[in-house]
């Protein structure tokens, strides 16, 4: 029987092809710490010589990884060569030579590379090997449209991986949650599995799986918060966790999206506590960070949305220099009006007009504010938006009161 001398293996922890490679035995003192680091999804401080091929594979250097494999023709080396080279002919040869869990792993690799039409049998597979094989069975079920079967395979895979390879279990939990999101799964289950993915992944590893799960969980919490402080605060914590990995330098678009969502979560919180002023300032900073990435030509929708959010935030957040904030908001609204078509998007154009009128009123520029608000009211009347019309009427009434007091 072919057996794996090193257990648990960091299978599935890293992207392919590395995630399918098998570590051979090593008697070097560095092997234990290196294995522990790999299982956490981290790079070892020092590699055993026997595992240099794995280091090259992690760096994306497949040719160097192949060259670093030992000259011996043992079955583990032949398996690793197959994973790295991906030759279909080697699948037939290895299929007749391998047994046990190594045969199961080779079947997973062959199925993933399209060399076989079915995932391997699960008999005899344990721990992380069984979990990886179950993920292949889930993939096969998804291809056949059997989503309940795929979910069952994911559930069993998480249970197999969790005791020996928590990071792998976290990745599978994220896959399970994302599958449910794509197919209208139950919200409570999706949030549970996303939280499971976060909990299984060590915070110090900064793996993308943890950040991706945190970002998606934050978005779900925010979408269903209904203005409640608790879920919004939980969403903020998720976004802060995701930003530990999604940096502007390495993942600019993800960074910008999370910053924008973070700002909206802060701004949606009820303004009832002393710390709310600080949250408003943080929201403005987050929107400015998002706008440092978004470009009006390359990301027109995202740029426009973030600019509008920033202008709205500048109107309402506490500031030691409110007039400066209001003037900046007015400039943004004026610019956005030039970019918005009142015929193609009358509702959007009218909302900007209303916000602009409100900002001008706060600055005491009442005549121009009234003009903008009346334009907005006319558009809202054309599209039949009665609540928006009522809001505009209230703003116009406030202007009349201020002018009456000033006479």
């Amino acid at each position: 029987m072919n057996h794996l001398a090193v257990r648990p293996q960091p299978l599935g922890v890293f992207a392919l092809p590395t995630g399918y490679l098998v570590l051979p035995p090593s008697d070097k003192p560095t092997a234990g710490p290196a294995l522990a680091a790999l299982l956490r999804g981290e790079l070892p401080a020092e590699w055993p010589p026997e595992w240099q091929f794995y280091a090259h594979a992690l760096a994306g250097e497949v040719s160097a990884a192949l060259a670093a494999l030992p000259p011996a023709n043992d079955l583990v080396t032949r398996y690793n060569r197959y994973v790295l080279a991906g030759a279909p002919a080697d699948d037939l040869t290895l299929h007749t030579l391998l047994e046990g869990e190594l045969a199961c792993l080779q079947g997973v690799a062959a199925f993933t590379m399209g060399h076989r039409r079915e995932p391997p049998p699960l008999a005899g597979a344990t721990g992380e090997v069984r979990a990886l094989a179950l993920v292949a069975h889930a993939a096969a079920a998804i291809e056949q449209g059997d989503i309940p079967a795929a979910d069952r395979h994911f559930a069993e895979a998480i249970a197999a991986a969790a005791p020996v390879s928590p990071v792998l279990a976290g990745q599978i939990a994220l896959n399970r949650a994302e599958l449910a999101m794509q197919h209208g799964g139950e919200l409570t289950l999706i949030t549970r599995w996303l939280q499971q993915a976060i909990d299984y992944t060590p915070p110090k590893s900064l793996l993308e799986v943890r950040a991706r799960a945190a970002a998606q969980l934050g978005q779900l919490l925010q979408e269903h918060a209904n203005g409640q402080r608790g879920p919004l605060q939980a969403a903020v914590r998720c976004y802060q966790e995701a930003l530990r990995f999604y940096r502007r330098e390495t993942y600019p678009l993800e960074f910008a999206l999370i910053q924008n969502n973070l700002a909206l979560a802060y701004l949606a919180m009820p303004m009832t506590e002393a710390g709310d002023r600080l949250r408003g300032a943080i929201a403005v900073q987050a929107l400015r960070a998002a706008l440092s990435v978004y470009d009006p030509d390359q990301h027109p929708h995202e740029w426009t949305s973030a600019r509008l959010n920033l202008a709205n935030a500048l109107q309402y957040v506490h500031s030691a220099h409110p007039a400066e904030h209001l003037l900046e908001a007015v400039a943004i609204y004026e610019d956005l009006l030039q970019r918005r078509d009142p015929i193609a998007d009358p509702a959007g154009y009218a909302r900007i007009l209303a916000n602009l009128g409100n900002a001008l009123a706060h600055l005491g520029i009442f005549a121009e504010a009234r003009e903008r608000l009346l334009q907005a009211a006319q558009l809202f009347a054309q599209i039949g938006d009665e609540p928006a019309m009522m809001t505009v009427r209230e703003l116009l009434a406030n202007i009349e009161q201020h002018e009456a007091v000033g006479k």
Side-chain angles (χ1 to χ4, degrees):
M1 294 286 288
N2 308 141
H3 68 282
L4 306 179
V6 177
R7 296 298 295 268
Q9 290 275 341
L11 296 168
V13 171
F14 300 100
L16 299 181
T18 312
Y20 283 175
L21 293 174
V22 168
L23 295 171
S26 172
D27 58 1
K28 302 298 187 294
T30 54
L35 177 59
L38 292 171
L39 287 168
R40 292 193 303 269
E42 301 172 6
L43 294 179
E46 190 174 352
W47 292 89
E50 299 89 346
W51 296 357
Q52 280 301 317
F53 75 96
Y54 200 97
H56 286 301
L58 267 179
E61 302 163 351
V62 175
S63 297
L66 282 165
L69 285 171
N73 211 25
D74 62 281
L75 293 176
V76 169
T77 300
R78 294 182 69 171
Y79 163 80
N80 284 331
R81 189 175 292 114
Y82 169 70
V83 169
L84 291 168
D90 292 337
D91 172 38
L92 298 174
T93 304
L94 288 174
H95 186 60
T96 61
L97 295 174
L98 300 181
E99 298 177 339
E101 291 186 308
L102 193 55
C104 181
L105 284 177
Q106 198 257 328
V108 171
F111 171 74
T112 303
M113 288 187 279
H115 298 166
R116 297 189 200 173
R117 302 182 67 178
E118 300 290 337
L122 297 170
T126 62
E128 71 280 18
V129 177
R130 183 176 183 84
L132 203 64
L134 282 161
V135 170
H137 279 267
I142 293 170
E143 288 179 5
Q144 297 164 7
D146 193 345
I147 305 306
D151 181 72
R152 290 193 297 272
H153 290 314
F154 279 142
E156 190 178 346
I158 294 168
V164 293
S165 184
V167 168
L168 175 59
Q171 291 184 335
I172 300 169
L174 177 58
N175 292 338
R176 188 183 190 189
E178 291 178 337
L179 178 67
M181 284 190 282
Q182 293 166 7
H183 294 275
E186 188 178 333
L187 178 64
T188 55
L189 293 177
I190 294 171
T191 54
R192 182 191 307 169
W193 297 331
L194 288 173
Q195 186 62 57
Q196 193 177 42
I198 295 170
D199 293 341
Y200 277 132
T201 311
K204 292 184 179 179
S205 64
L206 298 183
L207 280 180
E208 185 175 5
V209 61
R210 181 181 176 91
R212 203 165 86 215
Q216 293 186 23
L217 179 56
Q219 195 162 347
L220 281 177
L221 291 169
Q222 185 174 359
E223 288 173 357
H224 297 86
N226 296 319
Q228 298 179 43
R229 183 181 295 272
L232 288 169
Q233 288 176 329
V236 164
R237 289 193 293 272
C238 287
Y239 292 142
Q240 290 170 337
E241 173 62 37
L243 287 171
R244 297 175 65 231
F245 178 85
Y246 290 122
R247 305 295 182 116
R248 186 185 186 282
E249 298 77 16
T250 49
Y251 295 90
L253 291 181
E254 290 84 353
F255 168 86
L257 175 62
I258 295 168
Q259 291 283 10
N260 186 72
N261 288 346
L262 176 65
L264 294 179
Y266 273 131
L267 294 171
M269 289 183 191
M271 295 294 179
T272 57
E273 297 181 359
D276 291 330
R277 291 184 174 183
L278 176 60
R279 294 188 187 96
I282 295 173
V284 169
Q285 290 177 354
L287 288 166
R288 294 195 193 281
L291 286 165
S292 72
V293 173
Y294 290 142
D295 179 87
D297 296 320
Q298 296 182 22
H299 323 102
H301 175 75
E302 293 84 356
W303 181 85
T304 300
S305 177
R307 287 265 288 169
L308 185 57
N309 291 335
L310 175 60
N312 294 340
L314 288 169
Q315 275 210 73
Y316 297 108
V317 300
H318 178 79
S319 169
H321 308 283
E324 291 180 12
H325 273 189
L326 287 168
L327 287 170
E328 183 180 357
V330 165
I332 293 172
Y333 291 135
E334 293 281 12
D335 178 61
L336 291 176
L337 283 176
Q338 299 300 317
R339 301 169 183 270
R340 191 70 62 98
D341 186 346
I343 298 175
D345 184 15
Y349 194 86
R351 283 193 295 270
I352 297 174
L353 280 171
N355 287 333
L356 173 57
N358 189 44
L360 289 167
H362 284 307
L363 285 166
I365 310 174
F366 295 130
E368 190 174 346
R370 182 184 294 104
E371 180 184 349
R372 297 297 192 176
L373 290 169
L374 288 172
Q375 291 173 352
Q378 185 177 8
L379 287 171
F380 284 136
Q382 289 175 4
I383 62 177
D385 191 338
E386 185 62 32
M389 288 177 62
M390 290 179 62
T391 300
V392 171
R393 291 192 195 106
E394 290 175 5
L395 293 174
L396 286 167
N398 289 336
I399 290 175
E400 290 181 6
Q401 289 177 1
H402 282 291
E403 287 181 324
V405 170
K407 289 181 180 179

